Amino acid sequence: MRRVENAFQELIDGVSTASDKAAFRAVADRATQRLGFRSFAYLGLAEHGHTLISTYPKQWTTRYLSQRYDLIDPVLIRARRDRDPFRWSGPQMAKGRGDQVKRFFGEAAQFGIERGVTIPIQAGFDRFALLTFTADKHGLDLDEKAAKARDILQLMGMYFHAHVEAALKLPASLDPSSPLSQREAECLAWTSRGRTMDQIGKILDVKTRTVAFHLDSARAKLDAENVAHVVALALRRGLIP
């Protein structure tokens, strides 16, 4: 456990001063080696693109992105659904699935990506990220690693993601000087993504009329003509992600 704690502390120290992808890659690579894993991959997905930082073979990451394997990757699909770190193996995840998924894991195995531990990171407003550590085919006990270090691994993922977003200027947080309240900004952000007031109410666990109130309040604050106008103004001024 001490080894994991040391890796965590070193990662925290490293991401605090990292300012570009190369630096973040070096920090995460050191943590990967400290933990006894083989390689790592951080993938952040947002409406307008992705951010990839990894030590996976370049040939594999290029193929993964160009072939849109994110649409069929069972590890990524599970990470979208789960909140806790989980271990996985290609053969296990491929069981009972179609030929396309089996081919996907077969290709990954050719690059040494056969099993690992994945940390889901829910980033809000349809944004999502995951941090995966892969292990050699034989050796590291992933069940024990995932069980004993689950909380620290989760913190590592969250710290890494937060610093990557801040350093690389990714659309992550709301402008603290914004005239909008948190709820007003949230309602506008979901509206900009095509959600209805009923849908936003379910997402935020509030009544539809409460959503309407926040949207109207935002409209008044920004002196907009209607909801479409206030969304456009908020986006233009960078008040919503």
Side-chain angles (χ1 to χ4, degrees), residues 101-117:
V101 171
K102 291 178 180 177
R103 281 196 302 271
F104 162 73
F105 279 117
E107 289 181 27
Q110 293 176 16
F111 293 95
I113 303 167
E114 299 184 69
R115 65 190 194 112
V117 174

Side-chain angles (χ1 to χ4, degrees), residues 181-206:
S181 70
Q182 179 73 23
R183 271 293 193 237
E184 290 164 356
E186 287 177 329
C187 289
L188 286 177
W190 283 120
T191 300
S192 74
R193 286 159 172 75
R195 302 301 200 276
T196 65
M197 286 193 286
D198 284 344
Q199 290 172 330
I200 296 170
K202 291 177 182 177
I203 292 170
L204 301 181
D205 195 24
V206 297

Side-chain angles (χ1 to χ4, degrees), residues 73-229:
D73 182 354
V75 176
L76 189 150
I77 291 170
R78 177 175 172 180
R80 283 189 178 277
R81 183 182 70 241
D82 290 2
R83 293 184 178 275
D84 295 326
F86 60 90
R87 63 160 186 83
W88 56 268
S89 72
Q92 178 190 48
M93 296 289 268
K95 282 183 179 178
R97 300 181 185 270
D99 291 340
Q100 189 179 25
V101 171
K102 291 178 180 177
R103 281 196 302 271
F104 162 73
F105 279 117
E107 289 181 27
Q110 293 176 16
F111 293 95
I113 303 167
E114 299 184 69
R115 65 190 194 112
V117 174
T118 291
I119 305 156
I121 305 162
Q122 307 299 329
F125 295 117
D126 284 341
R127 293 177 297 106
F128 166 79
L130 71 163
L131 178 63
T132 292
F133 294 105
T134 65
D136 289 324
K137 188 172 184 179
H138 304 290
L140 193 65
D141 188 334
L142 293 183
D143 287 323
E144 182 181 5
K145 179 72 72 175
K148 287 186 175 180
R150 186 185 69 174
D151 292 343
I152 293 181
L153 288 173
Q154 194 163 39
L155 285 172
M156 289 178 77
M158 293 171 64
Y159 267 92
F160 190 80
H161 171 72
H163 282 275
V164 166
E165 282 200 327
L168 302 185
K169 304 296 188 294
L170 303 179
S173 58
L174 304 178
D175 184 349
S177 65
S178 170
L180 302 174
S181 70
Q182 179 73 23
R183 271 293 193 237
E184 290 164 356
E186 287 177 329
C187 289
L188 286 177
W190 283 120
T191 300
S192 74
R193 286 159 172 75
R195 302 301 200 276
T196 65
M197 286 193 286
D198 284 344
Q199 290 172 330
I200 296 170
K202 291 177 182 177
I203 292 170
L204 301 181
D205 195 24
V206 297
K207 295 184 182 299
T208 302
R209 65 172 178 268
T210 302
V211 176
F213 169 80
H214 288 309
L215 290 174
D216 191 57
S217 177
R219 181 196 59 75
K221 285 182 178 180
L222 298 188
D223 195 25
E225 295 295 327
N226 50 47
V227 171
H229 188 201

Side-chain angles (χ1 to χ4, degrees), residues 7-85:
F8 177 48
Q9 187 58 56
E10 187 172 342
L11 181 133
I12 291 176
D13 294 340
V15 296
S16 297
T17 56
S19 59
D20 57 30
K21 283 188 176 182
F24 280 109
R25 184 180 185 275
V27 169
D29 189 29
R30 285 196 299 271
T32 300
Q33 303 308 314
R34 287 263 193 188
L35 292 169
F37 289 103
R38 174 177 180 169
S39 59
F40 86 92
Y42 164 85
L43 179 62
L45 298 171
E47 184 178 7
H48 302 297
H50 69 271
T51 301
L52 174 66
I53 303 172
S54 85
T55 53
Y56 284 5
K58 179 68 174 178
Q59 187 179 353
W60 169 244
T61 57
T62 299
R63 179 165 180 75
Y64 185 100
L65 295 172
S66 66
Q67 296 296 315
R68 292 304 311 273
Y69 281 154
D70 58 296
L71 299 178
I72 65 165
D73 182 354
V75 176
L76 189 150
I77 291 170
R78 177 175 172 180
R80 283 189 178 277
R81 183 182 70 241
D82 290 2
R83 293 184 178 275
D84 295 326

